Amino acid sequence: MNTPIAPEPAAAVRRPAHVPLVALERAGITEGVHHGSVVVLDPAGAVAWSAGDIDAAMYPRSALKPVQAAAMVRAGLPLDGELLALAAASHSGEPEHLAGARRILALGGFAEDALRNVPDLPYGEAARAAWLRAGHGPSPLAQNCSGKHAAMLVTCGRNGWPAGDYPDPGHPLQRAVAAEVERLTGERIAAVTADGCGAPLFSVSLRGLARAAAALVTAAPDSPEGRVADAMRAHPGMVAGPGRDVTGLMRAVPGLLAKDGFEGVQIAALPDGWAVAVKIAAGTDRARMPATVAALLRCGVEPALLAPFGTAPVYGGTEVVGRLAPLPELLPGDGTPG
């Protein structure tokens, strides 16, 4: 079992030495190359394969949400199932997501105006259009992190902590989250800033992020980490939403845990402890999944299961004239991306 270890020193704060990962080919010409870094850990926690700079400090963005959720469960958050999955989500703002966030708030006796995440429109295109047609504007509830923020409020209520300043890095809740980040990544936090939603964001290495993903899937089912991992895998639609690749990937690969983050970050881990973490240098979202698929192939995932996610067509008018795909050197065996 891949278990958390005593924290090592913080990741080095430097400009990461990223490498080419994913290419966009149009009519036989390489039109663009997306750089980044990727790491694959085996079930013992050793690096089975890597590309780029896996030990530089980076910001996991929303890929860290499962760890934040585990910290809240450890602190007494009384959620399971779809609501716990929502606490670790970057949801699309579908009706079930908004209803779930309201249910979490109600559990702690909080109103929507207690949320301290930034107002926004729903992330999903269809959900955003429906929201606007109904006459709504930007709202903290509709913003993709509202499940996490609602869970933070409930965790504060359970512990008697003040709720008005819960996003402050010095708040007892955020100190508990920081401790869980260091415990599961196995390294000290390199830097602290604010995420896009306003909650604290902790910097670790890509290697440490993959360690945390492995720790989640290999934890005992009744542990905080195990409960979060099980909830996310049982309710992938609450973690993202319709048409989202993270939801689709968890449905396609049995037992897989996956979570994306803005600026081209992705984690994925299998029940036996194989784990991957990806960072696209320029934050390009469309290169995130091809690089992740290449890494998962190195974990032994059946290529047919990954085939819908490994490449994307490039169009000239209505005709397919090329594709976005991982570079051959990222792929094991015969170089087939899925």
Side-chain angles (χ1 to χ4, degrees):
M1 178 180 292
N2 195 326
T3 56
I5 60 176
E8 299 174 354
V13 177
R14 62 182 180 229
R15 180 176 295 174
H18 293 304
V19 298
L21 297 179
V22 176
L24 188 154
E25 178 191 272
R26 185 184 294 270
I29 298 293
T30 298
E31 185 175 27
V33 176
H34 300 277
H35 290 62
S37 296
V38 56
V39 62
V40 177
L41 298 184
D42 68 19
V47 176
W49 183 83
S50 68
D53 193 344
I54 66 171
D55 290 317
M58 50 84 68
Y59 287 119
R61 303 298 301 269
S62 286
L64 200 61
K65 282 179 177 174
V67 177
Q68 293 170 306
M72 289 188 277
V73 172
R74 192 174 300 282
L77 179 67
L79 298 182
D80 280 300
E82 62 181 6
L83 294 186
L84 183 53
L86 188 63
S90 298
H91 65 73
S92 291
E94 296 289 330
E96 62 267 27
H97 300 141
L98 305 185
R102 290 188 180 104
R103 286 168 60 195
I104 296 173
L105 288 170
L107 183 65
F110 291 99
E112 292 178 25
D113 61 8
L115 291 167
R116 294 291 178 264
N117 54 311
V118 295
D120 201 356
L121 299 173
Y123 183 78
E125 291 185 11
R128 186 184 311 123
W131 182 262
L132 291 171
R133 283 196 304 271
H136 302 304
S139 160
L141 185 75
Q143 197 261 346
N144 75 89
C145 302
S146 64
K148 177 182 78 174
H149 279 256
M152 286 182 170
L153 284 166
V154 173
T155 305
C156 288
R158 288 285 165 143
N159 287 276
W161 295 332
D165 62 344
Y166 72 85
D168 189 304
H171 191 281
L173 168 67
Q174 305 304 341
R175 292 202 302 269
V177 171
E180 190 79 348
V181 170
E182 292 189 337
R183 195 178 72 84
L184 296 186
T185 63
E187 61 190 45
R188 300 296 182 189
I189 292 167
V192 181
T193 186
D195 207 338
C197 66
L201 178 61
F202 305 103
S203 178
V204 296
S205 71
L206 203 62
R207 185 199 301 257
L209 185 60
R211 280 196 201 110
L216 287 160
V217 295
T218 59
D222 60 348
S223 69
E225 309 97 292
R227 285 171 57 189
V228 171
D230 286 348
M232 293 174 68
R233 290 179 291 190
H235 302 279
M238 297 299 282
V239 177
R244 301 273 298 279
D245 54 28
V246 165
T247 292
L249 191 64
M250 283 197 284
R251 286 174 172 162
V253 181
L256 183 74
L257 176 74
K259 184 69 188 76
D260 55 342
F262 280 156
E263 298 300 323
V265 183
Q266 180 74 48
I267 59 170
L270 294 159
D272 59 3
W274 282 93
V276 309
V278 171
K279 165 63 182 173
I280 303 301
T284 311
D285 189 65
R286 65 179 178 174
R288 169 181 52 81
M289 192 51 64
T292 300
V293 165
L296 286 172
L297 287 169
R298 291 182 174 273
C299 297
V301 177
E302 177 63 40
L305 300 177
L306 299 172
F309 309 97
T311 63
V314 172
Y315 288 92
T318 59
E319 301 295 322
V320 176
V321 296
R323 68 174 190 164
L324 184 76
L327 292 170
E329 53 264 40
L330 264 68
L331 300 166
D334 63 1
T336 301

